[in-house]
């Protein structure tokens, strides 16, 4: 046993701050990029500011999850937070776009440690009867942070200086570091003598890097049918096959393949991937619709997502509270039904749709997404040995992030194709479909001013219809999620009979 007892209250504050920072920095750069490009140049490289963080984040998650199982959560939370703060400080001092990209990758490595380890520590700290409530609370924090990122980026860029979207991490990070260092005293792992799976780590890292490069750069830096795309995806398939072979023989694999024989675990991973794709679809295309069709301000992007954010907070909290009262499947079925309804409604949006109605659809979408944060984390860990908790939580975050990356790529291609096709119908002699169309251009006042009123109205109609088609595609994702949820079975979180929650319920009866 640890010689000291953790101060749970201050530990929770420290963990929330750490999660807040890691989640914010996934999106905080978006509204600041025009200013950053104006200061540093490198317009042709700016996409890498987002990609570098995401790629480093995704690759490092399972590695840190496994290491935290072997050597302790506290060590790797503090290490990840330290790396994250160093990357933040360097980002703020960047003088070129290349420097910023490199430093964002350092940030991403640190963030990859923070998110999964935070949820694992919460699971370690609390008894079964309180885990659902706390996981729901942290899921709400994650949802809020992800959506508030653009708003925070806009605020610091407009009212302070763009460098403070990175420097703000330092004082908050120091507080989080101090709280965890002083007040969190975990029991040390019993499997510290395991050997690190170096070959698994190397092949996994190389394979996921190739996949992420392919997803992030395909259709942007080079065409999907180019030798570069084929090479990246072929390299991923080969290296991932080698990784699976290595893991099947490793004594302490970085990703224990035997976990996937558990139907509840595998279903939870599939649901996390699909929900990640649907969440990024909502976060990307609802603001594009509102700003492009209703001419909303791009700098208020964070406010655009507020209705969905509130839905995420409410359902994440409720989902966590109902874990233990009914099966994981029952809770997630409610979530899936809400998502099927939300995506179906969003597939009907058009230029005639009133703003209040789109807002209502956003709330339903948020209510559907939010439940997945606490429930999939807990269902994936159901009856899993404590020695795999860090690994499992990291895989939940990993699959959600991979889902987001794939969602951005696939749905981006779908939306671009739908926009081109629709404009060809509406404006057959305009020549607009002879080259790639950037839907973001329609958000710029200068571009709008140079287009005739009749043509602009047709282009806005094409934009609205292409976004509606994207949500038509997400209906199938929601249905697939429903099917995987059905496969989760009747498993339910077991609360010991002597727990305070059981005693209170019995007394109430």
């Amino acid at each position: 046993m640890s010689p000291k007892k953790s101060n749970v209250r201050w530990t929770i504050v420290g963990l929330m701050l750490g999660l807040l920072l890691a989640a914010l920095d996934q999106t905080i750069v978006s509204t600041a990029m025009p200013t950053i490009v104006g200061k540093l140049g490198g317009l042709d490289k700016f996409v890498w500011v987002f990609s570098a963080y995401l790629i480093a984040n995704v690759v490092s998650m399972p590695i840190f999850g496994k290491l935290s199982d072997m050597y302790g959560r506290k060590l790797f939370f503090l290490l990840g937070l330290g790396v994250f703060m160093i990357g933040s400080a360097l980002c703020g001092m960047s003088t070129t776009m290349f420097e910023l990209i490199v430093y964002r990758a350092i940030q991403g490595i640190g963030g990859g440690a923070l998110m999964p380890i935070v949820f694992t520590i919460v699971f370690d700290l609390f008894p079964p009867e309180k885990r659902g409530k706390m996981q729901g609370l942290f899921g709400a924090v994650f949802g809020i942070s992800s959506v508030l990122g653009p708003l925070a980026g806009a605020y610091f860029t407009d009212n302070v200086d763009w460098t403070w979207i990175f420097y703000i991490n330092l004082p908050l990070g120091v507080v989080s570091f101090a709280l965890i260092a002083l007040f969190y005293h975990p029991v040390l792992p019993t499997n510290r003598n395991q050997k690190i799976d170096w070959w698994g780590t190397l092949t996994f890292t190389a394979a996921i890097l190739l996949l992420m490069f392919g997803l992030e750069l395909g259709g942007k830096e080079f065409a999907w049918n180019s030798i570069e795309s084929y090479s990246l995806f072929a390299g991923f398939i080969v290296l991932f096959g080698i990784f699976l072979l290595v893991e099947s023989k490793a004594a302490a694999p970085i990703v224990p393949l035997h976990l996937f024989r558990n139907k509840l675990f595998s279903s939870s991973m599939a649901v996390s991937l699909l929900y990640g794709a649907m969440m990024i679809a909502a976060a990307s295309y609802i603001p594009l619709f509102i700003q492009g069709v209703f001419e909303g301000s791009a700098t208020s992007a964070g406010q655009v997502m507020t209705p969905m954010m509130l839905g995420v907070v409410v359902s994440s909290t409720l989902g966590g509270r109902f874990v233990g009262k009914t099966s994981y499947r029952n809770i997630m079925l409610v979530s899936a039904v809400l998502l099927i309804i939300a995506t179906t409604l969003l597939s009907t949006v058009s230029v005639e749709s009133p703003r209040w109605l789109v807002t209502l659809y956003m709330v339903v979408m948020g209510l559907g997404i939010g439940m997945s944060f606490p429930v999939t984390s807990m269902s994936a860990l159901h009856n899993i040995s404590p020695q795999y908790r860090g690994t499992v939580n990291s895989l939940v975050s990993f699959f959600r992030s991979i889902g987001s990356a794939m969602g951005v790529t696939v749905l981006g291609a779908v939306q671009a194709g739908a926009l081109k096709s629709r404009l060809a119908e509406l404006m057959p002699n305009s020549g607009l479909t002879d080259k790639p169309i950037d839907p973001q251009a329609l958000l710029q006042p200068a571009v709008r001013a140079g287009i005739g009123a009749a043509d602009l109205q047709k282009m806005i109609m094409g934009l609205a219809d292409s976004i509606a088609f994207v949500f038509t595609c997400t209906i199938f994702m929601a249905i697939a999620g429903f099917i995987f949820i059905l496969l989760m079975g009747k498993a339910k979180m077991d609360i010991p009979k002597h727990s305070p929650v059981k005693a209170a319920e019995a007394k109430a009866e």
Side-chain angles (χ1 to χ4, degrees):
M1 294 293 290
S2 177
K4 292 184 179 180
K5 186 176 180 181
S6 298
N7 184 313
V8 175
R9 181 173 297 177
W10 287 114
T11 298
I12 289 301
V13 174
L15 293 175
M16 282 187 170
L17 281 173
L19 181 63
L20 175 73
L21 297 179
L24 274 177
D25 269 71
Q26 290 183 331
T27 56
I28 197 170
V29 177
S30 58
T31 46
M33 276 313 299
T35 301
I36 294 174
V37 170
K39 296 287 185 180
L40 303 182
L43 178 62
D44 58 325
K45 302 182 185 70
F46 86 92
V47 67
W48 279 99
V49 176
F50 304 96
S51 299
Y53 185 92
L54 179 61
I55 291 170
N57 194 266
V58 170
V59 169
S60 61
M61 278 180 187
I63 297 171
F64 280 117
K66 178 63 178 179
L67 291 173
S68 75
D69 281 336
M70 294 172 65
Y71 301 108
R73 324 276 185 228
K74 182 175 181 176
L75 171 63
F76 284 97
F77 177 89
L78 295 178
L79 177 63
L81 184 56
V83 171
F84 182 85
M85 288 194 293
I86 290 170
S88 298
L90 292 172
C91 284
M93 295 187 286
S94 300
T95 57
T96 67
M97 187 62 72
F98 177 77
E99 288 181 1
L100 180 59
I101 291 166
V102 173
Y103 300 150
R104 280 283 285 172
I106 295 173
Q107 259 195 322
I109 292 171
L114 292 177
M115 282 193 285
I117 293 177
V118 163
F119 285 100
T120 308
I121 292 175
V122 171
F123 202 90
D124 289 341
L125 277 176
F126 292 95
E129 63 268 18
K130 293 185 179 180
R131 286 173 185 163
K133 179 181 177 180
M134 295 309 300
Q135 292 279 4
L137 178 62
F138 274 78
V141 170
F142 179 80
I144 293 172
S145 303
S146 299
V147 176
L148 283 182
L151 184 61
Y155 175 81
F156 284 115
T157 302
D158 294 342
N159 299 289
V160 189
D161 185 81
W162 71 267
T163 56
W164 275 92
I165 66 175
F166 302 113
Y167 287 149
I168 191 62
N169 295 331
L170 301 181
L172 297 177
V174 167
V175 173
S176 175
F177 193 100
L179 290 175
I180 299 301
L182 294 173
F183 297 112
Y184 177 48
H185 306 291
V187 177
L188 294 177
T190 58
N191 54 337
R192 296 166 65 89
N193 293 326
Q194 287 184 356
K195 291 183 179 179
I196 295 175
D197 177 20
W198 291 112
W199 282 111
T201 302
L202 290 172
T203 53
F204 173 83
T205 301
I208 299 304
L209 279 174
L210 291 179
L211 174 63
M212 294 301 294
F213 281 134
L215 292 173
E216 289 293 299
L217 302 181
K220 301 169 189 170
E221 298 290 321
F222 40 75
W224 287 114
N225 60 348
S226 65
I227 188 64
E228 291 90 347
S229 286
Y230 294 146
S231 298
L232 287 170
F233 290 117
F236 160 71
I237 292 170
V238 171
L239 282 171
F240 191 70
I242 296 172
F243 165 72
L244 293 177
L245 181 63
V246 169
E247 294 301 89
S248 67
K249 300 178 182 299
I254 185 173
V255 178
L257 300 181
H258 68 84
L259 293 175
F260 289 90
R261 297 179 195 142
N262 182 321
K263 189 166 65 173
L264 178 57
F265 174 86
S266 297
S267 300
S268 299
M269 295 301 118
V271 170
S272 295
L273 185 142
L274 289 165
Y275 273 58
M278 286 185 281
M279 184 170 182
I280 200 67
S284 300
Y285 291 105
I286 291 175
L288 182 61
F289 182 88
I290 289 176
Q291 293 164 20
V293 177
F294 298 135
E295 299 186 47
S297 169
T299 57
S300 62
Q303 294 174 340
V304 166
M305 296 303 293
T306 298
M308 193 178 96
M309 175 190 72
L310 293 175
V312 168
V313 172
V314 170
S315 66
S316 179
T317 304
L318 288 176
R321 287 183 178 274
F322 278 100
V323 170
K325 298 181 183 298
T326 186
S327 67
Y328 306 115
R329 182 176 67 182
N330 286 347
I331 300 172
M332 289 304 297
L333 282 175
V334 175
S335 166
V337 169
L338 286 170
L339 278 179
I340 292 171
I341 293 171
T343 51
T344 302
L345 292 173
L346 286 167
S347 71
T348 66
V349 295
S350 67
V351 290
E352 286 85 19
S353 299
R355 174 70 179 265
W356 69 266
L357 191 61
V358 177
T359 299
L360 178 63
Y361 297 167
M362 291 168 68
V363 172
V364 179
M365 190 78 177
L367 289 171
I369 289 172
M371 293 182 191
S372 69
F373 289 114
V375 180
T376 54
S377 293
M378 301 189 72
S379 63
L381 283 164
H382 186 79
N383 286 343
I384 298 293
S385 171
Q387 73 184 66
Y388 296 122
R389 282 179 183 172
T391 299
V392 170
N393 262 314
S394 70
L395 288 173
V396 173
S397 298
F398 172 80
F399 275 93
R400 188 179 290 128
S401 297
I402 286 288
S404 295
M406 294 176 67
V408 165
T409 301
V410 174
L411 295 175
V414 166
Q415 193 266 335
L419 177 59
K420 185 175 181 179
S421 175
R422 187 70 177 115
L423 290 181
E425 295 175 7
L426 295 170
M427 308 168 70
N429 301 316
S430 65
L432 285 172
T433 57
D434 296 337
K435 54 185 178 179
I437 302 166
D438 180 12
Q440 296 288 339
L442 289 176
L443 307 185
Q444 301 173 14
V447 173
R448 284 177 176 251
I451 302 173
D455 285 345
L456 179 60
Q457 187 60 31
K458 290 178 181 178
M459 294 178 75
I460 290 174
M461 185 181 299
L463 177 65
D465 292 346
S466 70
I467 294 172
F469 185 70
V470 166
F471 285 109
T472 300
C473 295
T474 61
I475 296 173
F476 297 99
M477 294 182 186
I479 293 172
F482 184 91
I483 293 170
F484 279 111
I485 289 166
L486 288 176
L487 296 175
M488 293 174 76
K490 298 179 180 179
K492 173 184 174 184
M493 186 179 70
D494 296 322
I495 298 178
K497 293 182 179 179
H498 61 273
S499 73
V501 171
K502 290 276 190 182
E505 290 177 349
K507 186 175 180 180
E509 292 174 357

